[in-house]
Amino acid sequence: MAEPIIRFEGVSKSFGEQVVLRDLSLDVAPGEFLTIIGRSGCGKTTALRLVNGLLSPDAGRVLVQGKDVAQTDPVALRRGIGYAIQSVGLFPHLTVEKNIAYVPSISGLEGWKGKERREKAEALLRRVGLEPELAGRYPRSLSGGQRQRVGIARALAAGPEILLMDEPFGAVDEITRGQLQDELLCLHQASGITVLFVTHDIGEALKLGTRTLVLEAGEVQQYAPPSEILSGPATPFVEELVCRSRQFQARA
Amino acid sequence: MELLQEIFSLYAQRSDWFLELLASHMALALSAIAMSGTLGLLLGVLISELPRLAPPVMGVCNVLYTVPAISLLGILIPFTGIGDKTAVIALTIYGVMPMVRNTYVGLTSLDPDILEAARGMGSTRVQLLLRVKLPMAAGVILAGLRNTVVMTISVAGIASFVGAGGLGVAIYRGITIYNPAMTAAGSVLIALLAFLCDLALGALERYFKKRGSP
Ligand SMILES: Nc1ncnc2c1ncn2[C@@H]1O[C@H](COP(=O)(O)OP(=O)(O)O)[C@@H](O)[C@H]1O
Ligand SMILES: [Mg+2]
């Protein structure tokens, strides 16, 4: 395995008495599409928020590109990591164009003003399968699927090497979700970006992931390519999980 | 009807005087609003960023707000004398509360998911405040400003009791020389001014509320 781009080293995290992650160790190779699956409340979001420093571990370390997150300037770290969440969190007072340009703008990146900004926003809209004409609209006038796509465009704007996605397709209808999944796969293949994708849908996890991490009660049940998870579930929990989803096609 | 006629003939006869009073009334209110607006906004931002300070600051503002305007003026006289200065200080103290309250509520009741996204994308604390929180809270903050403006304009009507200018002069003179029409003439102008400001700020508030909501 190449030098991992993200590494969890014996990470534990509790909220009060409640232990959410227990001694989690994990290496993610560059370009990997890691899907993280587990039931609601098992610590998936917590794991993601440890990567961009929104949370810090009680024990252990999280390394991003070889550097301990705890020793890194969180603002600079986050600007280099795309972040897309289920509720999207688009800024209602900004146009789609300005939403997309948010990270470049707060980072003071060159070439994100006036006409250039419009052109770059439009190019990103095309990349996520949207009409460039949407650039001037406000988020409230978009459909749920369109908002998700704008959220992904916004996460990609500053050209991050890592993309964190927290149940990004949880709130859209089945058909739109299928389209979004296919587009995300294309995007991943074209860009080689490393993706950490949280979901509670095993079908989605197996379809999208080059590797899948199954979490339960804060512990790793299995960490393997989807085909292995299907063919050799490591624990009864994984067995039961995949049992219901044998009909889904594995990606790798 | 008779009173109404008297009022209008007063306006016609003494238009210069009333215009002068109206101008000084607006100047008085505007200085107080500029101060209470700024102070209230800053205090509101401060206590939303440092929530531990919120209960004491809100407590003090609430208490000051319950002091009747006329007693506040009276209490200030020994310290700041009589005249416009005392009136502006009293009106400022009085107008701060709605601004602090609305700024605080506006900034602390924003959609947590949007703030999570903004933080997760690498906003600094200042960027989060200036680019996300304040624009999104603008509608609620404007509602507070509207409250302050209307209240200040109407309470400024009693500023003449401490020797300040403004339309209160007409009201006060109407009372002392027993000329109810003059008192009413001053009051009507105050009400009209407050009403127009309320309309204008109401429209602005609706625009920003729409803009800041998903
Ligand atoms: N900031 C927090 N404070 C207290 N408890 C939290 C916090 N964040 C998460 N938790 C708790 O930790 C557990 C795991 O949360 P989370 O990582 O969000 O789960 P998942 O994303 O897998 O549904 C949940 O029980 C949740 O209530
Ligand atoms: Mg979650």
Side-chain angles (χ1 to χ4, degrees), chain A residues 49 52 54 75 78-79 83 85 87-93 102-103 105-106 140 154, chain B residues 113-114 116-124 127 131-132 135-136 210-214:
Chain A
R49 300 179 82 217
N52 64 8
L54 285 171
V75 166
R78 289 171 200 159
R79 287 174 183 174
Y83 192 42
I85 57 179
S87 54
V88 196
L90 293 180
F91 303 126
H93 59 290
Y102 185 76
V103 179
S105 162
I106 59 170
R140 79 182 70 87
R154 181 174 70 170
Chain B
D113 288 333
I114 294 176
E116 159 93 5
R119 262 188 220 106
M121 290 190 292
S123 313
T124 62
Q127 287 170 336
R131 292 184 182 231
V132 180
M136 281 173 65
K210 181 162 172 267
R211 197 165 170 267
S213 62

Side-chain angles (χ1 to χ4, degrees), chain A residues 11-172:
Chain A
V11 172
S12 297
K13 180 73 190 172
S14 308
F15 294 108
E17 295 286 282
Q18 182 193 10
V19 181
V20 176
L21 293 176
R22 205 183 312 257
D23 196 23
L24 175 69
S25 291
L26 190 72
D27 280 352
V28 184
E32 197 89 73
F33 195 130
L34 170 65
T35 50
I36 304 174
I37 171 122
R39 68 178 103 208
S40 187
C42 74
K44 306 182 293 296
T45 298
T46 302
L48 277 198
R49 300 179 82 217
L50 286 164
V51 174
N52 64 8
L54 285 171
L55 290 174
S56 42
D58 299 335
R61 306 194 296 167
V62 179
L63 304 171
V64 173
Q65 290 167 325
K67 287 195 288 264
D68 186 351
V69 169
Q71 313 291 328
T72 316
D73 168 29
V75 166
L77 174 79
R78 289 171 200 159
R79 287 174 183 174
I81 299 179
Y83 192 42
I85 57 179
Q86 176 174 348
S87 54
V88 196
L90 293 180
F91 303 126
H93 59 290
L94 299 180
T95 59
V96 165
E97 174 184 343
K98 285 187 177 169
N99 263 285
I100 291 177
Y102 185 76
V103 179
S105 162
I106 59 170
S107 319
L109 291 188
E110 293 289 319
W112 281 88
K113 292 243 157 62
K115 202 160 149 274
E116 280 180 296
R117 182 177 73 191
R118 170 59 69 119
E119 281 164 7
K120 286 179 178 166
E122 288 179 351
L124 279 157
L125 285 171
R126 280 194 206 93
R127 244 177 105 189
V128 295
L130 286 176
E131 303 283 314
E133 286 73 34
L134 291 185
R137 301 252 296 262
Y138 281 89
R140 79 182 70 87
S141 71
L142 305 180
S143 72
Q146 288 173 327
R147 285 183 204 183
Q148 278 309 336
R149 288 184 162 96
V150 173
I152 295 170
R154 181 174 70 170
L156 293 173
E161 287 178 43
I162 299 171
L163 181 56
L164 306 179
M165 307 183 85
D166 194 351
E167 307 197 25
F169 309 149
V172 293

